[in-house]
Amino acid sequence: MRPPLAATKLSIVAPCYNEELVLPQFVARVTAVCRQLGCDYEIVLVNDGSRDRTHAVALQLAQADPHLRVVNFFRNFGHQAAVTAGLDLAQGDAVVLIDSDLQDPPEVIVEMVARWRDGVDVAYGQRRSRAGESAFKLATAKLFYRVLSISTKNTIPRDTGDFRLMDRRVVEVLREMRERHRFIRGMVSWVGGRQEPVLYDRQARAAGRTGYPFAKMLSFAIDAVTSFSVLPLRLLTYSALVVLALTLVMSIVVFVMKLVNPGYFIPGYASIMLTIMFFGGINLLAFGIIGEYLGRMYEAVKGRPLYVIESLYPPVDPRRR
Ligand code: UDP
Ligand code: MG
């Protein structure tokens, strides 16, 4: 049983990258939702090395409202690192992850909290619709979820972002998971417990521009698949088996042809070139895929911190965290 709502604390964690235009509106809407819920709350804004005035705006808001905390990174570490820092610092009995660009409507938090009260450990937002996205983004997102569900055997729900509420127990497990290439929604699925969707309509950005251009999205997708699946490696093994079987068939064909018509194989330039090119390509691909995993192991072994904090507001002695 959860303690009464009035006695619990809710943490709202929001990564911010160049969001100076939306931030005041975002904080106002989240604050309204938290007041309506009537519990204690904190809003943790993580400024991920913005190049605009996001930090100044966040500080200004925080000075006017003790519910706000601001974490400032030394540089841009990426959305997943910003979320990680927020999870590390959040103190609530339940923690909500939400984008600060108002694409995730804060009002949905009310239903997430209700689910949590019912005993659900993770209430994740699942997009019923997506407004204001390009056809290209929708198509690539669809492809991404398909590849992901094939390679992870459907263990990660589709059409979900990081917008979700998590119970403290789940957050504590996540805090133990210091893996480098982070795909947080997958990591949350891995933890288990009662996880249920809350349907919502994803909005268009309130202002500003996306911080996820195509190259970043692609590398995020590769992180997602390689963090949760060794299927690409296994496909290499399978293709090697297929190639070996083909080679066996070919040898038999060649042998028989040699017996029947010894002169047949002299003009073999084209077939030899094609074969060399084909296997050259397969080899390069194999190295590339193995390299993806090897590089990730290399980075994991280095064990560097996932982010570097420049300052906190209100200032807290980092050694006491
Ligand atoms: N964001 C971040 N660091 C980045 C890029 C984005 O903290 O390097 C934040 C951004 O402020 C937003 C959320 O992550 O709150 C989602 O990013 P964005 O809206 O740019 O991505 P999209 O919704 O277009 O996929
Ligand atoms: Mg967005």
Side-chain angles (χ1 to χ4, degrees):
M1 269 305 281
R2 313 246 186 249
L5 191 55
T8 56
K9 181 165 181 169
L10 187 64
S11 295
I12 313 287
V13 167
C16 316
Y17 178 62
N18 297 343
E19 306 285 8
E20 60 176 356
L21 294 174
V22 242
L23 215 49
Q25 204 187 334
F26 170 76
V27 168
R29 269 175 69 185
V30 171
T31 302
V33 168
C34 291
R35 289 221 178 110
Q36 182 196 335
L37 284 167
C39 56
D40 188 15
Y41 68 95
E42 62 173 359
I43 303 176
V44 184
L45 300 174
V46 185
N47 174 36
D48 182 16
S50 299
R51 274 170 302 198
D52 64 357
R53 295 187 61 256
T54 298
H55 187 223
V57 173
L59 282 181
Q60 210 175 14
L61 292 165
Q63 275 151 9
D65 182 352
H67 289 106
L68 261 67
R69 292 167 66 195
V70 181
V71 182
N72 193 37
F73 278 2
F74 252 124
R75 62 169 171 88
N76 179 254
F77 281 88
H79 169 255
Q80 301 284 300
V83 168
T84 304
L87 286 174
D88 289 343
L89 294 164
Q91 295 166 333
D93 304 294
V95 180
V96 173
L97 303 181
I98 183 169
D99 284 356
S100 57
D101 59 2
L102 287 173
Q103 283 199 279
D104 306 326
E107 293 69 29
V108 179
I109 295 173
V110 175
E111 197 188 333
M112 291 180 172
V113 169
R115 293 292 182 86
W116 176 60
R117 305 295 308 157
D118 290 343
V120 166
D121 298 300
V122 176
Y124 56 88
Q126 192 159 37
R127 299 184 272 251
R128 200 185 297 141
S129 69
R130 297 181 83 157
E133 304 279 20
S134 62
F136 179 72
K137 170 114 187 184
L138 293 180
T140 48
K142 195 165 177 191
L143 180 69
F144 167 67
Y145 285 111
R146 171 133 337 146
V147 171
L148 189 69
S149 69
I150 292 171
S151 53
T152 60
K153 303 200 186 73
N154 292 318
T155 45
I156 300 174
R158 58 171 50 221
D159 294 330
T160 55
D162 289 322
F163 185 29
R164 59 192 55 222
L165 178 146
M166 295 178 285
D167 183 65
R168 167 65 31 202
R169 287 186 303 172
V170 176
V171 175
E172 287 305 317
V173 180
L174 283 180
R175 289 181 58 185
E176 302 279 307
M177 297 166 73
R178 304 315 284 180
E179 60 202 69
R180 178 144 301 271
H181 292 269
R182 304 173 79 75
F183 183 59
I184 288 174
R185 56 201 88 155
M187 291 162 62
V188 175
S189 292
W190 180 88
V191 174
R194 267 182 74 188
Q195 309 210 358
E196 287 177 10
V198 171
L199 291 178
Y200 76 104
D201 299 299
R202 186 145 163 107
Q203 309 297 307
R205 246 177 183 282
R209 281 192 303 141
T210 173
Y212 265 101
F214 180 69
K216 236 172 163 178
M217 250 161 49
L218 184 65
S219 103
F220 185 58
I222 293 177
D223 278 352
V225 172
T226 54
S227 305
F228 283 90
S229 167
V230 288
L231 186 70
L233 289 173
R234 189 151 309 146
L235 286 180
L236 284 180
T237 314
Y238 292 160
S239 54
L241 290 177
V242 170
V243 166
L244 283 178
L246 281 177
T247 314
L248 189 68
V249 173
M250 271 303 279
S251 334
I252 294 170
V253 170
V254 169
F255 184 71
V256 172
M257 291 294 280
K258 278 264 180 210
L259 286 184
V260 176
N261 181 0
Y264 185 78
F265 278 99
I266 295 164
Y269 178 77
S271 58
I272 289 173
M273 276 310 275
L274 283 177
T275 314
I276 290 174
M277 280 165 65
F278 177 69
F279 288 103
I282 295 269
N283 273 328
L284 278 181
L285 180 70
F287 274 124
I289 296 177
I290 294 170
E292 285 288 335
Y293 285 91
L294 193 66
R296 280 165 171 72
M297 279 166 67
Y298 171 58
E299 291 192 340
V301 166
K302 278 192 291 190
R304 289 189 185 159
L306 299 172
Y307 52 82
V308 183
I309 293 177
E310 188 264 337
S311 65
L312 292 172
Y313 183 89
V316 182
D317 182 356
R319 281 162 303 183
R320 284 181 46 219
R321 282 211 314 275

